[in-house]
Amino acid sequence: MNLKKSLLICLSLAAFAACNGVKAPQPYGALPTEAQVEWQKMEYNMFVHFGPNTFTGAEWGDGTEIADIFNPTALDCRQWAATAKAAGMKGIIITAKHHDGFCLWPNPVCRHTVAQSSWRDGKGDVLKELSEACKEYGLKFGIYISPWDRNDPHYGTDDYNDVFVKTLEHALGSYGEVFEQWFDGACGEGPNGKKQTYDWPLFYSTVYKMQPDAIIFSNVGPGCRWVGNEYGSAGRTCWGTMNVGEHTPSTPISTDLLNEGNPDGETWVAAETDVSIRPGWFWRESENDKVKSIQQLLKIYYESVGRNSLLLLNVPADTRGLLHEVDSVRLMELRAAIDEIFSTDLAAGASVEASAVRGGSRKYAAANILDADYDAYWTVDDEVTTASFTVTLPEARTFNRVQLQEYIPLGQRVAAFSIEALGEDGVWKTIANETTVGYKRIVHTPVTTATAVRVNIEESLACPLINGFALFMDNIYVSDEKANIPVGEVKPASEALTLDLGEARMLKGFTYAPIYKGEGGCIVAYDLEASVDGSVWTKVYEGKMFENIINNPTSREVRFDAPLKAKALRLTPVRVEISAGAAGQEHDTYGVSEFSAVE
């Protein structure tokens, strides 16, 4: 062997030894389980609200609905699954039991189920059909079961927790793998309603006994947390970790905490962004022309998937048992838009250099950020918490989206970063300043033409680990936060709303809408009076609720049981609240953007 060849071999062996002798970074802080990482990789799932409310038009049923009201005429869960698959979703979660207590499967410990209905002669089972459809289309199957039950006679007693556990056991043990168990913390019993102390540790242990890898959703996890609102927006700062403390899914918790999480949080409980494609959660014919636009849905996508959160988009089934055509078409339009925006990575073919590399090892080289291998990442030495990498493009390219990914199996670390672009004039310009990255961050920038892009990690809780970088051009979404937002007015909680129609008319109902995002507070409970002459008033409703309006502060249309003749309507607030997580806080003002009659 000649000297030159021997020297090359020695150098190669030395480099190999150096590469493999550099230890990986130690995990930092609270860590996700393997199941939590795989859950976040799903990015985009479908929620399906379906049940008696579909047929009554209620948002929260009261549990007195007769079982026969549930009567889908053409249920086809394969249509749901095919639509979700075509939309790019990875799983479906179904409202197996909502607050009305009606079970979409023949739950043996419940008297209010499909088995008590005449639908399919009492032999129907929505969970069976949907779980089989999900399996056929390669989707994961999830279950929503509300602990609040307005029908079960045990609710409010010590026996209810045992009944609820049996419900969980049957639902989770009868339909194969369940990837997510969804617990809703809602309860509208009011101060004089039934009191139920939920045994959450027992509920959690039951889920894990039946489905060891299931992600449990609630306000505080333990698998994933509610994002703190129902309009589809994770925090611009969004940590996958949070200090849960003594909180349970039943206790009020700050929406800011839910929205943003905590740096150095004691628990890994990433945010899930749940939002409906319609104003309400259940299908109503009156909302067929109110399905969210492509612009609205893209905004939601960017503020959920693009902010370290998973998007759970509700697409309710209609009275046929099908996803409505308007919703399905909109989902396909959204899929086409996402594909158009993200189909071409404008960083393709680029080279990358970093200010530092861990131990000088190729294993942790900056080139890893352009590698499709999820487990390959760039990082630096343990003591380094500020660093940068520069992506040099093959030629000048134009973009307005920068995508970054952090290697979360070893913990979330980045707390602040900036992005610079090198123009064709040779001048570097800052185009973005942001905070967290997490599993995925999609940063909006001005339309920028650059020959290179530099990302500066300005603050990190430990040495940063970046495993993804991409550039995209979005010619579809136009950001206009204030567009089409109704002008509203904030009123004292003691002040009633009066609507004078000028003459007596036959009315079918009325509409109340709070201000955008519930600003100023919302009327939660109210009295309604009607007058045919404007002087003598008759009580129509007393203490009636606008259900779920705090978490979903959108327009509420209330239909009378029978047409009502009136010249004027008077809406008097009984309870006004402002959003505060699992339960609202009483407030001294409320917002109104609409109070109108339905004729």
Side-chain angles (χ1 to χ4, degrees), residues 109-131:
V109 298
C110 179
R111 68 180 187 181
H112 196 44
T113 79
V114 288
Q116 282 75 49
S117 75
S118 56
W119 175 63
R120 295 191 176 166
D121 298 322
K123 298 177 182 178
D125 188 338
V126 179
L127 298 196
K128 182 175 186 293
E129 294 189 37
L130 181 57
S131 61

Side-chain angles (χ1 to χ4, degrees), residues 54 57 69 76 115 126 132 140 149 176 205 226 229 319 375 424 429 434 443 471 483 494 501 511 530 557 567 585:
T54 307
I69 196 93
D76 185 358
V126 179
E132 290 175 351
K140 293 187 177 182
D149 195 311
S205 64
W226 182 44
N229 61 69
T319 52
D375 293 311
E424 292 178 286
K429 181 180 179 181
E434 294 294 346
V443 180
L471 300 174
S494 58
L501 302 172
T511 297
E557 182 179 286
K567 173 182 180 290
Q585 293 179 337

Side-chain angles (χ1 to χ4, degrees), residues 350-565:
S351 60
V352 57
E353 295 182 353
S355 61
V357 173
R358 186 176 184 84
S361 170
R362 286 179 298 181
K363 182 177 180 180
Y364 305 109
N368 290 338
I369 68 168
L370 302 179
D371 193 322
D373 182 357
Y374 179 81
D375 293 311
Y377 53 86
W378 160 70
T379 189
V380 292
D381 293 338
D382 288 336
E383 65 276 9
V384 178
T385 55
T386 60
S388 66
F389 61 84
T390 302
V391 178
T392 301
L393 303 171
E395 67 277 325
R397 292 178 177 174
T398 303
F399 60 89
N400 60 3
R401 302 287 182 267
V402 180
Q403 180 175 293
L404 290 169
Q405 289 190 267
E406 200 169 352
Y407 190 64
I408 61 172
L410 293 179
Q412 187 176 352
R413 301 159 181 247
V414 176
F417 67 95
S418 63
I419 303 174
E420 298 174 277
L422 180 63
E424 292 178 286
D425 57 2
V427 176
W428 285 97
K429 181 180 179 181
T430 300
I431 56 174
N433 287 282
E434 294 294 346
T435 55
T436 50
V437 176
Y439 167 75
K440 179 174 285 187
R441 184 66 186 267
I442 303 172
V443 180
H444 292 218
T445 72
V447 174
T448 301
T449 299
T451 58
V453 177
R454 183 160 61 212
V455 175
N456 305 299
I457 308 298
E458 297 174 349
E459 181 183 353
S460 188
L461 305 183
C463 61
L465 285 72
I466 303 297
N467 67 334
F469 175 89
L471 300 174
F472 301 103
M473 184 66 202
D474 180 355
N475 292 307
I476 300 173
Y477 176 66
V478 178
S479 177
D480 188 355
E481 177 75 11
K482 299 298 181 182
N484 301 316
I485 296 173
V487 175
E489 183 180 0
V490 176
K491 292 180 173 291
S494 58
E495 183 178 326
L497 290 173
T498 302
L499 175 66
D500 191 333
L501 302 172
E503 61 182 7
R505 302 178 187 177
M506 295 304 295
L507 306 180
K508 295 179 181 178
F510 73 95
T511 297
Y512 161 70
I515 296 176
Y516 181 63
K517 293 187 178 180
E519 185 177 322
C522 300
I523 299 175
V524 173
Y526 62 91
D527 294 341
L528 182 75
E529 299 167 284
S531 174
V532 293
D533 59 7
S535 59
V536 178
W537 295 89
T538 301
K539 188 71 67 74
V540 180
Y541 295 126
E542 185 172 7
K544 190 174 177 65
M545 292 184 66
F546 291 121
E547 293 167 332
N548 199 40
I549 198 167
I550 288 297
N551 295 327
N552 187 27
T554 56
S555 176
R556 292 293 191 271
E557 182 179 286
V558 178
R559 294 279 179 148
F560 302 140
D561 294 335
L564 176 70
K565 187 175 183 179

Side-chain angles (χ1 to χ4, degrees), residues 40-358:
Q40 195 136 17
K41 287 180 181 178
M42 296 174 76
E43 295 192 1
Y44 178 34
N45 295 327
M46 179 182 283
F47 215 176
V48 177
H49 275 62
F50 189 49
N53 295 349
T54 307
F55 301 86
T56 65
E59 190 76 353
W60 287 353
D62 63 13
T64 63
E65 305 84 0
I66 60 171
D68 282 348
I69 196 93
F70 181 80
N71 188 28
T73 55
L75 179 72
D76 185 358
C77 292
R78 295 182 72 256
Q79 184 244 9
W80 305 3
T83 303
K85 183 76 171 181
M89 296 164 166
K90 302 300 190 297
I92 300 177
I93 298 174
I94 175 71
T95 53
K97 181 176 84 74
H98 206 250
H99 312 321
D100 50 49
F102 187 83
C103 297
L104 297 184
W105 81 102
N107 180 5
V109 298
C110 179
R111 68 180 187 181
H112 196 44
T113 79
V114 288
Q116 282 75 49
S117 75
S118 56
W119 175 63
R120 295 191 176 166
D121 298 322
K123 298 177 182 178
D125 188 338
V126 179
L127 298 196
K128 182 175 186 293
E129 294 189 37
L130 181 57
S131 61
E132 290 175 351
C134 285
K135 187 176 297 183
E136 178 182 348
Y137 283 89
L139 299 170
K140 293 187 177 182
F141 172 65
I143 294 176
Y144 166 120
I145 298 180
S146 171
W148 183 28
D149 195 311
R150 305 179 83 174
N151 177 273
D152 196 298
H154 301 95
Y155 190 83
T157 73
D158 292 339
D159 295 332
Y160 178 74
N161 285 335
D162 291 333
V163 173
F164 190 72
V165 163
K166 291 182 174 65
T167 293
L168 288 174
E169 289 175 339
H170 194 260
L172 295 171
S174 304
Y175 304 101
E177 183 180 351
V178 174
F179 85 96
E180 184 169 342
Q181 169 61 52
W182 223 86
F183 284 131
D184 195 321
C187 182
E189 291 283 339
N192 299 316
K194 296 177 181 178
K195 301 293 191 298
Q196 180 68 49
T197 301
Y198 299 122
D199 190 342
W200 287 109
L202 176 61
F203 298 168
Y204 295 160
S205 64
T206 301
V207 174
Y208 290 136
K209 178 182 70 175
M210 306 305 298
Q211 297 285 340
D213 294 325
I215 299 298
I216 298 177
F217 168 96
S218 79
N219 284 0
V220 293
C224 62
R225 74 177 189 267
W226 182 44
V227 77
N229 61 69
E230 293 181 359
Y231 46 77
S233 183
R236 193 165 173 176
T237 293
C238 189
W239 294 95
T241 54
M242 189 172 79
N243 291 320
V244 173
E246 299 300 316
H247 288 293
T248 74
S250 306
T251 56
I253 186 170
S254 163
T255 52
D256 289 340
L257 174 57
L258 293 167
N259 203 233
E260 298 183 0
N262 295 115
D264 284 326
E266 64 188 15
T267 304
W268 187 278
V269 54
E272 180 177 82
T273 301
D274 60 316
V275 59
S276 185
I277 198 169
R278 291 165 171 254
W281 287 96
F282 287 89
W283 180 85
R284 298 178 186 85
E285 188 173 13
S286 62
E287 293 182 354
N288 285 346
D289 62 348
K290 296 180 177 65
V291 173
K292 288 181 172 62
S293 68
I294 289 299
Q295 294 294 319
Q296 290 172 306
L297 291 173
L298 280 174
K299 182 176 189 292
I300 287 168
Y301 183 86
Y302 281 128
E303 293 185 3
S304 55
V305 176
R307 289 184 177 176
N308 189 36
S309 178
L310 182 143
L311 172 57
L312 182 62
L313 181 63
N314 179 63
V315 189
D318 63 20
T319 52
R320 298 170 299 174
L322 302 175
L323 304 185
H324 195 272
E325 295 84 344
V326 174
D327 306 61
S328 297
V329 168
R330 191 57 41 81
L331 288 176
M332 297 308 106
E333 292 171 345
L334 177 61
R335 172 66 188 270
I338 290 172
D339 285 349
E340 180 178 334
I341 295 166
F342 295 101
S343 60
T344 302
D345 179 3
L346 296 167
S351 60
V352 57
E353 295 182 353
S355 61
V357 173
R358 186 176 184 84

